[in-house]
Amino acid sequence: MYSLAIVGLGPRGLYALESLFVTLSRKRHKIIPKVALIESQTEIGCGSAWSIHQPDANTINISDRDLVELPEREIINGDGYLITAFPSFIDWVRDNYNHELDDNKDTYFERNVMGRYLHQRARTIIDPLIKQDVVTLIKARATSLKIVDKITEIDFENDQHQSIHVQHTLLTTGHLPEEKSKQDEEFSHHANQFSDVFFIHNPYSKKAYNQYNQLHHVAIKGMGLSMIDIVHLCIARLNGEFKTLNQEPFLSYEHHSKSGLKIYPFSLDGLPVIPKPLGKKVDQHFNVEKEAIDNLKKKLQTLQESPQHLKIENLLAPIVDIIQIIYERLDYDGSNTDIHSLILDWLMGKKVDSNIWLDKELSTVDYLKQACLMACGDQPFTLDYTIGQVWRQLQPTLYSIFTHSNLPPDLQSEFIKIDEFTKRYSYGPPVERVLQLIALSECGILDFGLASNPTIIEDKNGWILKNKSTEKKVHAMVNGVLASPNVKKINDPLINSLFSSNYLEPFHKELGIKTNENGCAHTETESTIDIAVLGRNAKGSVYGVDAILECFSTETEKWSNHFVNTHLLE
């Protein structure tokens, strides 16, 4: 019998384990739990998103400057166990990669670098605890969970491991398989009829990595961060080189391959992601003073005291005030413009006509060039660019305020949708990655001519993409749209079984699992059961679930404190 099972040993599961033993080490007269760690991935600590085996083409979209916030693990000295300290991410890359921060230009590491960090961090706590017979590592996929007389039985896929019995369960599962959209089902069905037609639904799967070097005329559904990774995965075999041009910051791309590779990205609106500022010296234009952040917290917390009377405009107003102040201190000519209304309308998805926005009528390449010049500090910032960068600065504050808030689910969902809308800017890629897209376009490999919602027709050789002026044929279609967590669309046997048994319920019809501030699951029939959920699949109850720094957040510490105080103190 185990005291606790942690299902999912990516970064959140790792930090949950660390937090548990940190909390235990500070308590007297406690019970040392027997913990089962359940992970189906080959390597522990990193999950699928940070796999150490993924290609270098996949990069982090959070800068080294922001990753300063990823904390160290201090030495954990408890009764019968001793866990060594482990450095912060920045100290670790300084020691292992001779990396130093640079105010002029941020660095964005390959995702597998973060994976190596997380994996090493995991091994240095899990291996000692295994030797001390405190934890057991189960390398299998949990597929069902049943609770009988307050004892939970967990079963595993294909009997990879015998069933286990536990008193309490913590789910820290990250990205889970989701149902395909109707369009993706059609793409998949069509590709399955032909040996030389490809549809890649998960662009980060091992199967996909083995297929990229076979592709020559490729359509990519989606214009976000995944699109950029897919482009780099496709060009890896060309062994080309990006070179600096005289007209900096722009690049050229040179290669000697005769592959004839052509790539056609598209999306519903045809708008690409926007690069973050080049480095600290540019980004400081968008800094929000501590006093303004403290005032924002007070205003938003006061508003939540009467949530039944709130509208989305009420929540946005104090945020808009901050953005307006920062924009107006920049050098701009808008003395006769109602900036506050423009910002509010834009955030709420209303059409805004003004010459202080990045012009959507530009060609995609010219649009990206203007964005890169702003990101490098070589051109005045448009209002939309300013909104996105200030929103990014405010996100950690917003995450804390709107996690386990008093807002009605519909209003919380509405606010989260606005946050998703801003991610084209706030979650944007490094400038260098966008400059590379421009270079690939100008050398003829990348073609944005069909970027905005093309008509797609099945063809015996693949698909035909067309608009009023252009028509292109492709033999490969890659899905670059990674959906936000929605428990109704998850196609995972464990999560599905938990909902069918009424052990879990959604926070909102379009979001994740309903939990309280200690991470414990809530249902209609019981206020709490012995299942806790942290992270991505509790979106709605929590906020900011896709940020690596949020995997090391106070929400995990709240869970560990509650678990120890409630279940492990004698």
Side-chain angles (χ1 to χ4, degrees), residues 54 101 252 558:
Q54 63 189 301
L101 295 172
S252 66
K558 288 178 182 177

Side-chain angles (χ1 to χ4, degrees), residues 184-194 199 458:
D184 287 347
E185 287 283 6
E186 292 172 353
F187 288 156
S188 181
H189 177 73
H190 181 61
N192 288 338
Q193 298 179 62
F194 305 96
F199 173 61
E458 291 181 357

